[in-house]
Amino acid sequence: MSHTHIADDDNRTLPEFSLMQQIKRRFFAMRNGMLADQMRRNGLDYRVNFGLNIPQIKEIATDTLSSGLTSAEQLELANALWENINTRESRLLAPMLFPADIMSDELALKWLSEAQTTEISDHLCHSLLRKLPFASEVAKTLIHTANATDMQRYSALRLLLNLVAIGKESPLPLKDIATESLSCHMTRPVARQLLDEIEFISGSHDI
């Protein structure tokens, strides 16, 4: 009887996991509680934080994209990950998977507005938004929104700084925006970097 029981177990069909479930299982397998605790002590207090580092998340993105997903599947998965607002790794992975060639300016503005930490904003801008042809307009729309939060202004400035770094935006017209942002603790570091770029370019013109 025991032999028959083992045979039955071996012949069972294993459950098929959805793409989202597969990714969540990898998050769990790679979890690093010490790193999550360190981030929490440094102010990055997510409701769910598996403590994965960025190379690990990029590895998951690469594996997922190389698995033969269609653009529609990429889009669905990226949106589902982004809507999982409580999980750090989901929000960091989403922009690595979203097909940049089909993102609209309305959705780009929505995502930029919804980034809830500087870490998520930094990687959203670097992984996805800086690639968009309308990225500058999206950033300026957000930063000129009357009721924009400090976090949203940070995100807008971070995207503009990304565009300056890759030569898609001149820093000189951004001087007033950067100067105004020096008074806020959250936006000050990015504003200072923009002003440093302006000072460098202005100085090089005098030589």
Side-chain angles (χ1 to χ4, degrees):
M1 292 180 63
S2 61
H3 176 76
T4 303
H5 177 71
I6 294 173
D8 288 343
D9 284 348
D10 290 342
N11 291 330
R12 284 183 305 179
T13 300
L14 294 175
E16 292 188 6
F17 296 102
S18 68
L19 286 171
M20 178 66 84
Q21 289 172 325
Q22 292 174 39
I23 287 172
K24 290 295 181 67
R25 286 168 66 86
R26 291 195 68 178
F27 288 167
F28 190 80
M30 293 180 172
R31 68 193 184 282
N32 184 333
M34 291 181 63
L35 183 56
D37 288 342
Q38 181 181 347
M39 285 188 280
R40 191 174 297 110
R41 289 195 298 271
N42 290 334
L44 290 174
D45 192 11
Y46 300 93
R47 185 176 299 179
V48 180
N49 185 352
F50 290 97
L52 272 64
N53 58 41
I54 297 304
Q56 288 175 312
I57 298 172
K58 288 182 177 179
E59 177 187 331
I60 294 173
T62 299
D63 291 346
T64 303
L65 291 173
S66 63
S67 65
L69 297 182
T70 65
S71 293
E73 289 171 329
Q74 277 183 243
L75 179 63
E76 181 180 2
L77 180 58
N79 276 320
L81 286 163
W82 185 258
E83 291 304 316
N84 188 12
I85 63 174
N86 294 323
T87 303
R88 168 183 174 265
E89 285 75 11
S90 291
R91 286 225 140 182
L92 290 173
L93 180 60
M96 298 180 188
L97 298 180
F98 198 104
D101 58 335
I102 61 175
M103 180 167 242
S104 67
D105 53 351
E106 292 87 358
L107 188 58
L109 180 58
K110 179 177 182 290
W111 279 32
L112 190 63
S113 301
E114 291 175 346
Q116 74 268 43
T117 69
T118 57
E119 181 190 32
I120 289 173
S121 176
D122 291 349
H123 290 285
L124 170 63
C125 293
H126 181 80
S127 298
L128 176 62
L129 298 187
R130 66 176 184 152
K131 303 174 184 177
L132 306 177
F134 44 77
S136 178
E137 289 74 18
V138 168
K140 291 173 183 176
T141 295
L142 182 57
I143 204 165
H144 288 127
T145 300
N147 60 345
T149 65
D150 290 344
M151 185 64 240
Q152 289 170 336
R153 289 180 61 82
Y154 173 92
S155 295
L157 283 168
R158 172 56 68 185
L159 181 52
L160 289 171
L161 185 60
N162 270 261
L163 296 174
V164 167
I166 60 177
K168 288 187 174 181
E169 181 79 23
S170 170
L172 296 175
L174 304 177
K175 184 174 182 179
D176 288 345
I177 292 175
T179 301
E180 292 170 2
S181 300
L182 287 173
S183 59
C184 171
H185 174 75
M186 178 172 285
T187 58
R188 188 179 301 125
V190 186
R192 184 70 264 169
Q193 290 180 67
L194 279 171
L195 290 172
D196 287 345
E197 289 287 340
I198 293 169
E199 182 178 353
F200 175 78
I201 289 177
S202 300
S204 65
H205 287 174
D206 293 338
I207 295 176

